[in-house]
Amino acid sequence: MGTVPSALKHCLSYQHLLKEQLWIGEPAPPPPVAPHPGQESQASGLPAYIKIVEVGPRDGLQNEKVIVPTDVKIELINRLSKTGLPAIEVTSFVSSKWVPQMADHKEVMRGIERHPGVQYPVLTPNLQGFHAAIAAGATEVSVFGAASETFSKMNINCSIEESIEKFEDVAKSARNMNIPVRGYVSCALGCPYEGNIIPAKVAEVSKRLYSMGCYEISLGDTIGVGTPGSMKRMLEAVMKEIPLRALAVHCHDTYGQALANILTAIQMGVAVVDSSVAGLGGCPYAKGATGNIATEDVIYMLNGLGVNTGVNLYTVMEAGNFICTALNKKTNSKVAQASFSTGAVN
């Protein structure tokens, strides 16, 4: 471990090899018209383009015990906006009583630099949050449900059915204002309170979110217990109810399965992946859940598969280094850890 084979030194320097894999340079633009999520690239059988939804500023920071300064959040988002990422989840318009880390949502929304072609969605649990988000300048919102009754009550203080009713109010208002709505389904592969979640339940909640107008449904392995097998079974059930082009996956890496689960999903045609810079994250209502899969690690894998994301991995790692320095913590990205330690990134 840690030593570089002499043959590799003679053929190609380790740093040069890493730099090739890290794709240091200008981010390649996504296709003029992103391929249909079901459309395969000729060489690999995988989607030709994967949309990365960066959730670090919201999902990544919401579980930090020490309040992150507003200017640090804004700077992180501004840095991420320059990486080629097509969507960055900015904040959450929830009560500061429940998620104090997001209490500065208005200031963050108004303080960021918006880049052309980048979406800046925010979470809105109800109509009050929706209107506050729109007043602060939001142009896309997300609602977050769950496939677990107990988790729904713990996370948003209402049953699944009650949450759907609230989301329908948000979706109706958003439709009247031409505001896109994204839907989340938490605990798609397991619940900290109920254990296994049957795929049919995930499919049912997903169908209801899609039917009310959510253009995309992000299926979350909230506590990171999923495996490629359970991911496959869950997606097979959901794909019977929801068009493939409307699906995304959101994987936490508690058991080290996130990359394998994402690979399984994209092999099945899913072309949208949520991830968090530096692997930041967790869940206030899911004890033991570790961070989201690191954006750096997802992009590294997709680069290696020859799948286009339009994202510059090097600049994402720089953004990750910025926020980890600000938080005084070590990155959870294996790619960043290896790259900084070998000097491939200075």
Side-chain angles (χ1 to χ4, degrees), residues 273-288:
V273 175
D274 297 358
S275 59
S276 175
V277 64
L280 297 172
C283 179
Y285 301 99
K287 187 177 180 180

Side-chain angles (χ1 to χ4, degrees), residues 289-314:
T290 58
N292 296 274
I293 185 63
T295 302
E296 299 93 321
D297 297 359
V298 173
I299 296 170
Y300 183 88
M301 179 182 75
L302 294 176
N303 285 351
L305 289 168
V307 176
N308 181 29
T309 63
V311 182
N312 185 309
L313 177 52
Y314 178 70

Side-chain angles (χ1 to χ4, degrees), residues 4-5 8-9 11-24 300 344:
V4 180
L8 180 57
K9 287 182 178 178
C11 297
L12 184 68
S13 78
Y14 187 42
Q15 287 191 12
H16 185 257
L17 176 64
L18 274 175
K19 287 181 178 180
E20 284 194 342
Q21 285 295 99
L22 293 177
W23 179 19
I24 295 176
Y300 183 88

Side-chain angles (χ1 to χ4, degrees), residues 127-162:
L127 205 52
Q128 180 180 351
F130 171 78
H131 287 305
I134 299 305
T139 55
E140 179 175 331
V141 301
S142 300
V143 294
F144 47 106
S148 158
E149 196 69 57
T150 308
F151 186 84
S152 180
K153 290 175 181 176
M154 295 294 291
N155 190 36
I156 53 178
N157 201 32
C158 61
S159 67
I160 293 175
E161 187 61 37
E162 290 167 339

Side-chain angles (χ1 to χ4, degrees), residues 176-187:
N176 291 336
M177 300 175 69
N178 293 318
I179 298 291
V181 181
R182 192 176 197 244
Y184 281 96
V185 181
S186 299
C187 298

Side-chain angles (χ1 to χ4, degrees), residues 166-178:
K166 291 181 180 181
F167 301 156
E168 286 176 340
D169 290 339
V170 172
K172 182 179 179 180
S173 293
R175 187 162 53 248
N176 291 336
M177 300 175 69
N178 293 318

Side-chain angles (χ1 to χ4, degrees), residues 46-47 228 231 235 249 251 257-270 273 298 301-302 305 307:
L46 300 173
M231 173 66 81
L235 285 175
V249 290
C251 298
Q257 300 291 295
L259 278 180
N261 292 340
I262 290 168
L263 180 58
T264 297
I266 66 174
Q267 286 173 335
M268 295 177 71
V270 174
V273 175
V298 173
M301 179 182 75
L302 294 176
L305 289 168
V307 176

Side-chain angles (χ1 to χ4, degrees), residues 40-62:
E40 298 178 346
S41 62
Q42 294 181 350
S44 65
L46 300 173
Y49 172 72
I50 299 289
K51 174 186 173 184
I52 303 293
V53 178
E54 172 58 53
V55 301
R58 196 280 303 175
D59 199 20
L61 296 180
Q62 71 174 6

